[in-house]
Amino acid sequence: MDRLDNTIRPYAWGSTTAIPHLLGAEPTGEPQAEMWMGAHPGAPSRTLRGPLTEVIDEDPEKELGRAAVAKFGPRLPFLLKLLAAGAPLSLQVHPDLAQAKEGYEDEERRGVPIDAPHRNYKDANHKPELICALTEFDGLCGFRAPAEAADLLAALEVDSLKPYVDLLHAHPEEAALREVLTAVLSADREQMAATVTETAAACARLGGAHAPYAELAHHYPGDPGVIAAMLLNHVRLQPGEALFLGAGVPHAYLNGLGVEIMANSDNVLRCGLTPKHVDVPELLRIVRFEASDPGVLRPEASPDGEEVYETPIDEFRLSRYALVAGAPVHDLTLGTPQILLCTAGSVQAGEHALGPGRSVFVPAGEKAEVSGEGTVFRATVIA
């Protein structure tokens, strides 16, 4: 079992206080957006044996287990994070596995540099993800029913939004959502900026269900993504609740602290709320234009005290344990690799004492016993 020393990413949207508060550290005044736990080549966790990437490369079957290597290859297939949003992240979607492979191979054939700002596919993998709230957590997830989106827009009484309201009422669901999103993202930027400014003022005046979009416009003035965001479900998670974001589902995180886990990929197609490149034709190819309930997840408890967040993919499996002082030790030994993360209290993981924000990597088959009083999240794979 290896104690992890993890990199904190200072993205501009990050909270300046949430991660330091969890770690019991003094804020630096700079944003601290994400703490990465795993073997992502961009910022692998460090261990006493070296970077986790190198530890795994030296003997993948020993560290990951034969079954995981056979299924996912000689790499840790997930990345675990603490995510602290102090401002909205970009509105985005992720491709499915076939789309990611096709897009990556196409850009490789065309010689698009991997670090080019207009490159869409950094790798050939998909990027399903799960966010579990540690504090109250706001986000956008999946399309509203077109009639609901039409009502939200119509209530603003902004003349330039009326064509979108009519489209949402006049077409079948998929066509309505596709036509409106296409129109918003393809509109003249000056005219759209004026529409967003007028929309933001109306949202601030009305408040209630419109308030989140006034806040978006405050952070991204004139951005077409503000209007696109109004097509989506607004979700407020309570601590312990989670969202699963599958391929093609537009989403954005707005505010809050959570534990995030995802397949090990960097593939993101942006819809707005960003100064970065938005490839509208490719985005429209990837987005799934179907209205859906955001599907708030609550953990399912097992007899041994494990609370599992069920998802339809195998690259990761997230669960948590609420440990009680004096209770029997929990044996978490598995034939797959694990990362254990303490988010509250004081946890003993093998020989390691873990406080909030501290984590360990457990190689496949390694003895893993936890005890103490607090909360520990367990990240592994299904192999």
Side-chain angles (χ1 to χ4, degrees):
M1 196 181 294
D2 299 276
R3 180 182 288 273
L4 299 179
D5 179 17
N6 304 304
T7 296
I8 295 177
R9 295 290 209 177
Y11 305 135
W13 49 262
S15 166
T16 59
T17 58
I19 289 179
H21 178 74
L22 185 74
L23 295 174
E26 282 294 318
T28 64
E30 299 298 317
Q32 297 189 30
E34 297 180 347
M35 186 172 79
W36 288 18
M37 291 159 279
H40 189 288
S45 297
R46 299 168 294 277
T47 76
L48 292 179
R49 296 190 285 160
L52 191 56
T53 42
E54 295 180 9
V55 170
I56 291 171
D57 285 346
E58 287 179 8
D59 195 341
E61 285 200 359
K62 178 178 180 295
E63 303 297 332
L64 305 178
R66 184 171 297 177
V69 171
K71 190 167 186 176
F72 304 111
R75 61 186 183 86
L76 189 66
F78 66 81
L79 177 64
L80 184 66
K81 299 179 180 180
L82 282 173
L83 183 146
L89 283 68
S90 62
L91 189 60
Q92 59 189 255
V93 296
H94 306 304
D96 64 26
L97 191 54
Q99 291 165 339
K101 288 179 178 178
E102 180 184 350
Y104 178 77
E105 290 169 1
D106 174 64
E107 290 185 320
E108 287 291 281
R109 273 194 309 270
R110 293 190 285 116
V112 181
I114 198 73
D115 58 351
H118 62 283
R119 173 116 186 192
N120 292 317
Y121 298 95
K122 308 295 187 184
D123 52 70
N125 199 17
H126 62 164
K127 195 183 179 223
E129 58 191 44
L130 177 79
I131 183 79
C132 177
L134 294 179
T135 65
E136 200 170 71
F137 193 99
D138 281 323
L140 303 171
C141 178
F143 286 109
R144 300 174 186 269
E148 292 179 12
D151 290 345
L152 194 73
L153 294 173
L156 298 171
E157 299 183 336
V158 173
D159 286 345
S160 53
L161 293 178
K162 289 179 181 177
Y164 305 143
V165 173
D166 292 340
L167 283 171
L168 290 166
H169 281 309
H171 292 283
E173 179 178 286
E174 180 178 339
L177 294 169
R178 179 181 290 275
E179 288 194 36
V180 173
L181 185 63
T182 302
V184 168
L185 297 182
S186 304
D188 177 84
R189 290 304 293 250
E190 279 192 27
Q191 293 177 357
M192 180 52 68
T195 295
V196 171
T197 299
E198 191 175 354
T199 296
C203 285
R205 183 177 67 253
L206 289 174
H210 292 87
Y213 308 100
E215 181 71 10
L216 288 181
H218 170 74
H219 289 284
Y220 299 98
D223 193 303
V226 174
I227 309 301
M230 298 185 75
L231 302 175
L232 306 185
N233 297 298
H234 175 249
V235 185
R236 176 163 291 167
L237 299 177
Q238 297 304 311
E241 295 180 334
L243 286 175
F244 173 72
L245 293 313
V249 177
H251 62 278
Y253 302 145
L254 305 182
N255 186 272
L257 176 67
V259 175
E260 185 184 38
I261 189 167
M262 62 183 61
N264 218 341
S265 171
D266 292 319
N267 287 326
V268 174
L269 286 107
R270 294 175 177 85
C271 314
L273 309 180
T274 178
K276 295 182 179 179
H277 176 63
V278 177
D279 184 336
V280 175
E282 185 65 9
L283 171 72
L284 296 174
R285 190 176 78 85
I286 298 303
V287 171
R288 293 183 179 174
F289 290 97
E290 53 188 39
S292 62
D293 184 280
V296 173
L297 293 177
R298 296 172 181 85
E300 298 184 14
S302 63
D304 68 352
E306 185 181 26
E307 299 177 328
V308 182
Y309 293 91
E310 297 287 354
T311 66
I313 51 93
D314 294 344
E315 281 89 345
F316 61 75
R317 177 183 183 274
L318 186 70
S319 62
R320 68 177 185 178
Y321 288 84
L323 303 178
V324 178
V329 169
H330 289 271
D331 185 351
L332 307 190
T333 307
L334 286 176
T336 50
Q338 304 181 70
I339 291 177
L340 304 179
L341 165 67
C342 175
T343 59
S346 180
V347 173
Q348 191 70 30
E351 63 185 20
H352 302 287
L354 304 180
R358 311 302 174 183
S359 56
V360 292
F361 172 72
V362 186
E366 190 81 11
K367 190 72 171 175
E369 292 184 336
V370 297
S371 60
E373 185 172 12
T375 303
V376 62
F377 280 81
R378 175 202 231 181
T380 186
V381 304
I382 299 175

